[in-house]
Amino acid sequence: MPDIGVCTHRLLRRLGVRTIYHEEQTCCGQPAIRAGFTREAKRAAKHFIETFENDEAIVSPSGSCIYTVRYYYPDLFRDEPGWLRRAEALSPRVYELSQYMVDVLGVDAVGARFSGKVTYHESCHVLRGLGVSEQPKKLIGSVQGAEFVPLNNADRCCGFGGEFANAYPDISEELVKDKVQNYLNSGADLLVLCEPGCLLNINGYLSRNHPGKRAMHIAEFLAGGAG
């Protein structure tokens, strides 16, 4: 999903932030952590720390990645004091995109436009993991021409959950079916969210069952990708 990264870069540059993209960066290691592959997870986490530990702030359009670095890394290195110190030093400087824009930069509008009704899905790691909820809704509400409408059960999981969708596909399918039905019932023209995993799951269901509807990551929405 490279467009989300491109739009994140475009948004931050528009706000006057000097951005650096480390080409050597790889996965944060979350899938390996959640699957119990500790050795592989540590390898990915150490590479992440080495890549980013000298940066002033690390911003990601994925709340689950930020949650991993902030909370899983210290637990992952509890038996390696040297790496634990480096992980804990990095933790306060990682931010989910909307959190960084609102809480750090003090931004409440980015000059975006959209004509229509918009609703918002509360992704699990973004809401319950990071406590980020008002920030994205504040940014969405500032978009000129957009009317924010509530989503019933917005805080209910979409059924993705990484390994969960693979381990329990039937339950996952029912959860995303409910999520999409609430979206349709909301009357919104667009569903916006902050987590690429949820986007992949919800848009996959929409493309198979409601091809006229779509979901969009907030980075793309604010950068002007909603069309």
Side-chain angles (χ1 to χ4, degrees), residues 55-78:
D55 292 310
E56 181 179 341
I58 302 96
V59 181
S60 170
S62 170
S64 62
C65 294
I66 295 303
Y67 184 88
T68 295
V69 176
R70 189 176 292 174
Y71 299 109
Y72 285 158
Y73 278 15
D75 184 58
L76 190 64
F77 294 119
R78 62 185 181 279

Side-chain angles (χ1 to χ4, degrees), residues 108-214:
D108 55 15
V110 298
R113 297 171 180 266
F114 176 77
S115 179
K117 296 180 179 179
V118 183
T119 194
Y120 176 72
H121 161 63
E122 307 264 17
S123 300
C124 296
H125 274 106
V126 177
L127 174 65
R128 285 181 279 277
L130 301 176
V132 172
S133 178
E134 294 305 315
Q135 296 92 331
K137 287 183 280 194
K138 186 175 185 178
L139 292 168
I140 293 169
S142 72
V143 173
Q144 188 173 349
E147 178 187 350
F148 186 84
V149 296
L151 178 69
N152 192 36
N153 291 327
D155 61 346
R156 186 170 294 175
C157 178
C158 72
F160 182 63
E163 290 295 313
F164 180 85
N166 293 327
Y168 306 100
D170 293 340
I171 298 175
S172 175
E173 179 83 2
E174 289 302 312
L175 288 170
V176 74
K177 181 180 178 181
D178 285 349
K179 179 63 63 177
V180 165
Q181 189 58 53
N182 284 322
Y183 168 30
L184 299 177
N185 292 343
S186 75
D189 301 296
L190 184 67
L191 174 67
V192 173
L193 44 77
C194 291
E195 184 61 48
C198 300
L199 182 66
L200 193 67
N201 190 39
I202 294 172
N203 265 347
Y205 186 87
L206 285 171
S207 68
R208 295 190 299 274
N209 298 280
H210 304 279
K213 304 294 286 187
R214 59 177 173 163

